[in-house]
């Protein structure tokens, strides 16, 4: 059971970036969430999606700018991030859970994280 996040980078404020989370094993039938952790801050919920992709949820700070989706044929979950802001700078993690939750402690499987840096 492995999750591999990718797609991070250094971008300017206002542009878009898409993160990918490639999964192997039965994890991919689970709920998948994206979290982020900025320097000196706690890990926070960003978005989550059900196994079928039919239901999603977002943190208020990213609602309307970020979109989570999944392609089960490719075992991949995406996080499309538009209109990036300086405060979106963080390490982004994807994680798998057997429950529908925004709490990091409810997620059993974690990827290694990908760094997103937004500059002015």
């Amino acid at each position: 059971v492995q999750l591999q996040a990718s797609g991070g980078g250094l971008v300017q404020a206002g542009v878009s970036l898409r993160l990918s989370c490639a999964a192997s094993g039965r994890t991919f039938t689970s709920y998948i969430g994206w979290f982020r952790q900025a320097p000196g801050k706690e890990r926070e919920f960003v978005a989550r999606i059900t196994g079928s992709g039919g239901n999603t949820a977002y943190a208020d700070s990213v609602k309307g700018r970020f979109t989570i989706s999944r392609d089960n044929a490719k075992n991949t979950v995406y996080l499309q991030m538009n209109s990036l802001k300086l405060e979106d700078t963080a390490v982004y993690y994807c994680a798998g859970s057997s429950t529908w939750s925004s709490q990091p402690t409810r997620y059993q499987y974690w990827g290694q994280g990908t760094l997103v840096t937004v500059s002015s």
Side-chain angles (χ1 to χ4, degrees):
V1 176
Q2 291 185 329
L3 296 171
Q4 180 82 26
S6 62
L10 173 63
V11 296
Q12 288 191 319
V15 304
S16 299
L17 197 63
R18 189 177 78 163
L19 305 182
S20 299
C21 175
S24 61
R26 60 182 177 178
T27 297
F28 204 66
T29 60
S30 305
Y31 303 116
I32 299 293
W34 282 99
F35 295 81
R36 66 186 182 187
Q37 188 166 18
K41 295 188 176 181
E42 293 187 352
R43 191 167 300 188
E44 66 174 2
F45 165 75
V46 176
R48 64 185 192 263
I49 191 167
T50 55
S52 66
N55 197 10
T56 59
Y58 298 91
D60 288 343
S61 59
V62 306
K63 200 172 293 183
R65 298 189 299 122
F66 290 13
T67 302
I68 189 171
S69 62
R70 67 193 296 163
D71 184 342
N72 287 345
K74 296 182 178 180
N75 282 1
T76 303
V77 171
Y78 304 99
L79 184 68
Q80 178 67 43
M81 306 186 295
N82 298 331
S83 302
L84 282 164
K85 303 177 180 180
L86 298 179
E87 52 264 41
D88 293 320
T89 294
V91 176
Y92 284 72
Y93 300 88
C94 60
S97 176
S98 57
T99 59
W100 183 241
S101 174
S102 62
Q103 297 301 315
T105 55
R106 302 302 297 271
Y107 285 74
Q108 295 82 35
Y109 310 104
W110 289 84
Q112 85 290 356
T114 185
L115 176 62
V116 174
T117 304
V118 183
S119 65
S120 59

